[in-house]
Structure formats: C-alpha cells, structure tokens
Amino acid sequence: MFKPNLSLQPMLDKLSLWGNLGAADRAAVLALPHRVRVYQPHQHVVRERERPSHACVMLSGFSMRHKLVGDGGRQILSIHMKGDFVDLQNAFLGTADHSVQTLTRCEVALIPCEAVRELALARPAVGMAMWQDTLVDGSIFREWLANIGRRDARSRVAHLLCELGLRLKSVGVGQASAFELPMTQDQLADAVALTSVHVNRTLRNLERDGVISRSKRSLTIADWAKLALAGDFDSEYLHLEDRELAAVCA
Amino acid sequence: MFKPNLSLQPMLDKLSLWGNLGAADRAAVLALPHRVRVYQPHQHVVRERERPSHACVMLSGFSMRHKLVGDGGRQILSIHMKGDFVDLQNAFLGTADHSVQTLTRCEVALIPCEAVRELALARPAVGMAMWQDTLVDGSIFREWLANIGRRDARSRVAHLLCELGLRLKSVGVGQASAFELPMTQDQLADAVALTSVHVNRTLRNLERDGVISRSKRSLTIADWAKLALAGDFDSEYLHLEDRELAAVCA
DNA sequence: CGAGCGTTTGATCGGTGTCAAGGATCGTGG
DNA sequence: CCACGATCCTTGACACCGATCAAACGCTCG
C-alpha cells in the first residue's frame, strides 16, 4: 500500500492544534507534493521581489524574514522554527515582499505554490487552519511593532527572549527558560531595531541583574517573572490559549 | 423578490479585486447578516482582550488599530478606511490582541463572527479572498516594522504619507497627491513611533523643502518623487499589482 | 467670548548610535 | 593537535537624534 511521507508532520501537528482537521484533511496535508532541501547557515531561501514557485515549511533549524531599507539597514521581521510555514503568503500574493534567510543549518520542505492553493480550495478546513496560522503571524507582527515602536532597549530585548522561550517550548525544542539562542547579537539587534553594541550592553545588564545567565550561545532565564516584567511581556498575542480553546470546542 | 442590501458593497469590491469570485460567491457576501452602526470620533470599536462576537467592516470614515504598552505608550498599528475588514482575525482567533478605535465619525457594518466563519467554509473562494486580504495586512505590518525600526524620522513620516495617499486613491477617497489627513499629529506620532513635537518639526521641514504643502488638515504632495525618495517608498508591499495580476489570470 | 483641543516653537536632556580597538571563540587546514 | 583567519563579543569615549518640558498661539464650537 501507499506509505505516506512523514516529513510534513511537524507542520501538520501545528495546524492540527486548531482542532478542525479530519482524518482525510490530515492525510491530504501529508500528501502534499514536496522535496526536502538542506540549507547551510546564512543562505537565502527567498529573495525580496522574486515570484517564488514554492512555499517552504521548516523541518529543523532556524530561519528569519527580513527587509532591507534604502540606507542599507536591515530589519528582521520574524524568527522561524520547526513546523513553521514560512512564506505561505507567497503562494497567494505572488511577489515576495521580503527575504527569507537561514540562521542555522536548516532542513526545509519545498511545496509548489499551486499545490498549496489547490489544497486550500479543495479542503476548506485545511485552508482555514493555514489561515489561522497566518493570522497568528500577523498578531506577532503587531506585537513587534509595539515592541520596537514604544519600548526601550531593555524591554525590547527582554520581550524577544520571552517570546523565543515560549515558542521554542511550544514546538518542543528546549524549555522556555533554558535554550540555545539561534542568533548572533548582530541579528538580535536587527530584530529589535537596535545596534549590536547596545544589545550587548543590554544583555550584560540583564545578566548583571540576575535576570538571565549566559554561556556561549546558551541562555538561561534565571527569573522568568522579572524578565517578563522587564519586557512588558504578555503571551496573549501568541494565541496559544485560543488554539487550545478552538481544539476543545471542535 | 429579495432585494440584497448593498451596504457591504465596498468590502465586496475589494475582495473581488482578487478576481476569483463567481456570482454566487458575490451574492453570498452581500447576504452576510449584519447591522450598520455609526461611531463618533475616538470611540472604541473593539478593546484588547475582549472576545468580540462581531467582526467589523468599514463603510465610511477612518479608524485605527493600536496597542498600549506598560509605561502608557501607544503604538498605532494600522489605519483603516472604506472597504477594510478591520478585525477579521477576531472571527478566527477569539481573543482580540489589540484595540480598534475610530479616528473620525465612521459607519461600520457589524457581522457575527460565526457568519464569517460559515461563509469561509461554505465558499472557499470567498475564504481565500478574505485570506488574501489579511495577507496584505500582514505585508503592511512588515513594512511598518521596517519603517519604524530602521528609518529616521523624516523617512518614516514621508513613508506614511505616501502609503495613505496611495490607499486613499485605491478606494476612491481623494487623490494620491491631495487628501484630507484623517489624523492629528499626536496620532501620526503614535503611528510612526515618534513624539508629536517631532512629527510637527518633520512635517514643517518637508513643507519648507517644498515636498508637501498643508492647510488645516488637508495635505498636498507637491513633489511625489521627492516624497517617495525621502520615505524610501516602494508600493510593492501593498500588493496592488499582484491583485490586478490575479484578477487577469482568473 | 471663553474653553478646549491641536499646533508651533525654543531650550535642554538623555538614550542609543557611532567609531574604534582588543579579546574570545570557532571552524578549517596543515 | 596546533596555527591561523574569520566571525563574534566586549568595552570605552564621544556624538547626535529625537524626547522632554514648557509656553504661546490659533482654531472651532458651545
């Protein structure tokens, strides 16, 4: 008989959390045509202005989305990890409005855009789940806007660390309060709209105050309450609760 | 016979631009149950942390989405105008992660969340069109992130003015290069993450340089090329072209 | 005509950026 | 296993953009 390829399982798991997928839906997701590709660190997966023919799902490793501005500055827009459907929007909008680049070595599944569109139409429940995922994406962008626009350096960094911790835990890569930072201080800086020099000072301050501790790239959140307070962090915007609620109702 | 209520027409027009809606789809959109409500300036339409029972569509006037941070700061996340489906995400995520408030007097259509969900499932083409609209939303958030994170005051303000001009034109409320600013300098400041004092100085500089001219709330873009250059503005992120392309292909 | 809100302007302050140099760590090849 | 170069981290001195504070001005609408 036909044995389904399981490489898309992490993405399916994430979609299933919304609780509306039947067995046929799940099978259809796993049956999406795709090929797995390995990217080395710092490689481009999508470049701004391209019209990608494939959408990509993260299987392992970390990647980011970013934009370059006129004077050469870079703004990192989001961080992606196992199970994330990184550039789903390209399948529906056509032109990429930002670039996607790896942070670490990554395994990525490339799915033809057309297959994604067809699946969304043929199986509305799957389409809705993917839609909900992109809505959470949007919510995270909004929180980042508030973070970068209206918080000071210490809060911005603390907020990002809280988010990374929670998201890593939610996909089962380390714990919320102890994980490997997948990015350099330069990259952290471009994520929170500071300079790497200032991120460095901010991290050391948080460490001096006993809120976090670090060694190499591994980060430990010594006092989650303090860090969340410093970062004005409230996990609501990740909509983890809403996902559970939706699943229970279904 | 049954005469359809046409108040949702502006929203339908916007969805139709994606080019995939049949006659039955369009009728179903117009048939969405709803009631029209008038809001005065500065009124809340949705508050953060609520679980709204209705999604709202802008029929006239202007509104905004915003978040408050711990120290009392406010970040405006987006500006909404005729035809915008403002808080579609609440229909699918449950808890509002931000507030919606009017800028001017507004007419708003309130649609039960459940009706929106049912329509998206029953008519996948409509669901896709709504999805695409929210994807453009996401693209605008990303551009704002880059704007606020990596551009200086002059560029930020110029960029916002360009965006407003284009969007107003695209929904037929004034021209791209001459329109009524729907917001105070205080609100402009919270949209571009500056203080109103600095926004004021920046606007006067742009005026002194002959890039724009103002009288009361009405704004004229004297030199679009200069303003776009100053704002590092490239309209690609609004995906207006992609929308036309999609419509032609369909 | 007065109250309230929004705009304008000046003086000063402070958080982050910039520049520069040295130190640590990592990957790679001999 | 060590040497080397490249990348990343750390630190200090100083500059500057935009914030803050304060006050006056001008509309608009009772």
Side-chain angles (χ1 to χ4, degrees):
Chain A
M1 300 305 297
F2 185 72
K3 181 163 166 287
N5 186 321
L6 291 180
S7 49
L8 296 180
Q9 190 69 46
M11 185 260 285
L12 174 58
D13 288 344
K14 209 169 151 228
L15 290 182
S16 299
L17 288 175
W18 293 105
N20 284 311
L21 301 188
D25 294 321
R26 282 197 278 270
V29 171
L30 288 179
L32 273 168
H34 66 276
R35 64 191 169 84
V36 175
R37 182 170 163 191
V38 173
Y39 286 90
Q40 295 306 314
H42 311 302
Q43 272 193 287
H44 272 273
V45 178
V46 179
R47 279 173 205 276
E48 195 172 341
R49 295 174 166 290
E50 278 179 357
R51 297 183 66 83
S53 53
H54 296 259
C56 63
V57 170
M58 298 290 299
L59 304 181
S60 71
F62 295 89
S63 64
M64 60 160 176
R65 307 200 252 192
H66 68 90
K67 282 196 162 208
L68 300 176
V69 300
D71 67 359
R74 174 178 69 164
Q75 177 64 48
I76 292 183
L77 307 164
S78 57
I79 309 294
H80 294 286
M81 54 192 70
K82 192 177 82 177
D84 286 353
F85 213 141
V86 181
D87 61 343
L88 190 45
Q89 75 279 352
N90 293 327
F92 296 94
L93 293 181
T95 311
D97 52 64
H98 61 272
S99 300
V100 177
Q101 211 169 344
T102 57
L103 290 167
T104 64
R105 182 175 181 281
C106 291
E107 288 174 295
V108 171
L110 298 172
I111 308 174
C113 289
E114 210 183 307
V116 177
R117 285 196 300 267
E118 280 166 8
L119 178 62
L121 275 176
R123 305 214 143 259
V126 175
M128 288 253 298
M130 293 196 291
W131 186 6
Q132 285 173 300
D133 252 26
T134 63
L135 288 173
V136 173
D137 257 35
S139 177
I140 296 177
F141 290 136
R142 290 191 287 273
E143 184 64 30
W144 279 40
L145 267 174
N147 198 38
I148 288 174
R150 288 306 188 203
R151 293 197 187 104
D152 65 13
R154 186 183 171 93
S155 295
R156 286 188 215 176
V157 172
H159 192 282
L160 179 59
L161 296 181
C162 288
E163 175 179 322
L164 284 177
L166 272 195
R167 286 180 55 204
L168 285 167
K169 182 183 143 203
S170 85
V171 297
V173 182
Q175 316 159 48
S177 57
F179 51 88
E180 295 294 310
L181 260 187
M183 51 209 304
T184 67
Q185 293 182 3
D186 243 301
Q187 292 158 345
L188 282 173
D190 283 338
V192 293
L194 294 167
T195 53
S196 62
V197 172
H198 208 68
V199 164
N200 182 287
R201 293 196 242 261
T202 306
L203 284 173
R204 319 216 93 236
N205 282 347
L206 288 170
E207 193 168 21
R208 168 174 52 74
D209 299 346
V211 183
I212 62 172
S213 65
R214 303 173 302 149
S215 78
K216 304 190 183 180
R217 283 289 176 78
S218 84
L219 186 121
T220 307
I221 299 179
D223 188 332
W224 178 273
K226 264 195 203 164
L227 189 66
L229 188 65
D232 189 24
F233 184 81
D234 175 345
S235 67
E236 197 101 40
Y237 74 98
L238 294 171
H239 291 281
L240 301 171
E241 302 277 326
D242 288 320
R243 211 151 61 175
E244 281 161 31
L245 275 180
V248 170
C249 297
Chain B
M1 301 301 298
F2 185 71
K3 180 164 168 284
N5 185 320
L6 291 179
S7 49
L8 296 179
Q9 191 68 45
M11 185 260 285
L12 174 58
D13 289 343
K14 209 169 151 226
L15 290 182
S16 298
L17 289 174
W18 293 105
N20 284 309
L21 301 188
D25 293 321
R26 282 197 279 268
V29 171
L30 288 179
L32 272 168
H34 65 275
R35 65 192 170 85
V36 175
R37 182 169 162 191
V38 174
Y39 286 91
Q40 296 307 314
H42 311 302
Q43 271 192 287
H44 273 273
V45 178
V46 179
R47 279 174 203 276
E48 195 172 341
R49 295 174 166 289
E50 277 179 358
R51 298 182 66 82
S53 54
H54 297 259
C56 63
V57 171
M58 298 290 299
L59 303 181
S60 72
F62 295 89
S63 63
M64 60 159 176
R65 306 200 253 192
H66 68 90
K67 282 197 162 207
L68 301 176
V69 300
D71 66 0
R74 175 178 71 164
Q75 178 63 48
I76 293 182
L77 307 163
S78 55
I79 309 295
H80 294 285
M81 55 192 70
K82 191 178 81 177
D84 286 353
F85 213 141
V86 181
D87 62 342
L88 190 45
Q89 75 280 350
N90 293 328
F92 295 95
L93 293 181
T95 311
D97 52 64
H98 61 272
S99 301
V100 177
Q101 211 169 344
T102 57
L103 290 167
T104 65
R105 182 175 181 281
C106 291
E107 288 173 296
V108 171
L110 299 172
I111 308 173
C113 290
E114 209 183 307
V116 178
R117 286 197 299 269
E118 279 165 9
L119 178 61
L121 276 175
R123 306 215 143 260
V126 176
M128 288 252 300
M130 293 195 291
W131 186 5
Q132 284 172 301
D133 252 26
T134 62
L135 288 173
V136 173
D137 257 34
S139 177
I140 296 176
F141 291 136
R142 290 190 287 273
E143 184 64 29
W144 279 40
L145 266 175
N147 198 38
I148 288 173
R150 288 306 189 203
R151 294 198 186 102
D152 65 14
R154 185 183 171 94
S155 295
R156 286 187 216 177
V157 172
H159 191 281
L160 179 58
L161 295 181
C162 288
E163 176 179 319
L164 284 178
L166 272 195
R167 286 179 56 205
L168 285 168
K169 182 183 143 203
S170 85
V171 296
V173 183
Q175 316 160 48
S177 57
F179 52 87
E180 295 294 310
L181 259 187
M183 51 208 305
T184 67
Q185 293 180 4
D186 243 303
Q187 291 159 344
L188 281 173
D190 283 338
V192 295
L194 294 168
T195 53
S196 62
V197 172
H198 208 69
V199 163
N200 181 286
R201 293 196 239 263
T202 306
L203 283 173
R204 319 216 91 236
N205 281 346
L206 287 170
E207 193 167 21
R208 168 174 50 75
D209 299 348
V211 183
I212 62 174
S213 65
R214 302 173 302 149
S215 78
K216 303 191 186 181
R217 281 291 176 76
S218 84
L219 187 121
T220 307
I221 299 179
D223 188 333
W224 179 274
K226 263 196 203 164
L227 189 67
L229 188 65
D232 188 23
F233 184 82
D234 175 346
S235 66
E236 196 100 40
Y237 74 98
L238 294 171
H239 291 281
L240 301 171
E241 302 277 326
D242 288 320
R243 211 151 61 172
E244 282 162 31
L245 275 179
V248 170
C249 296

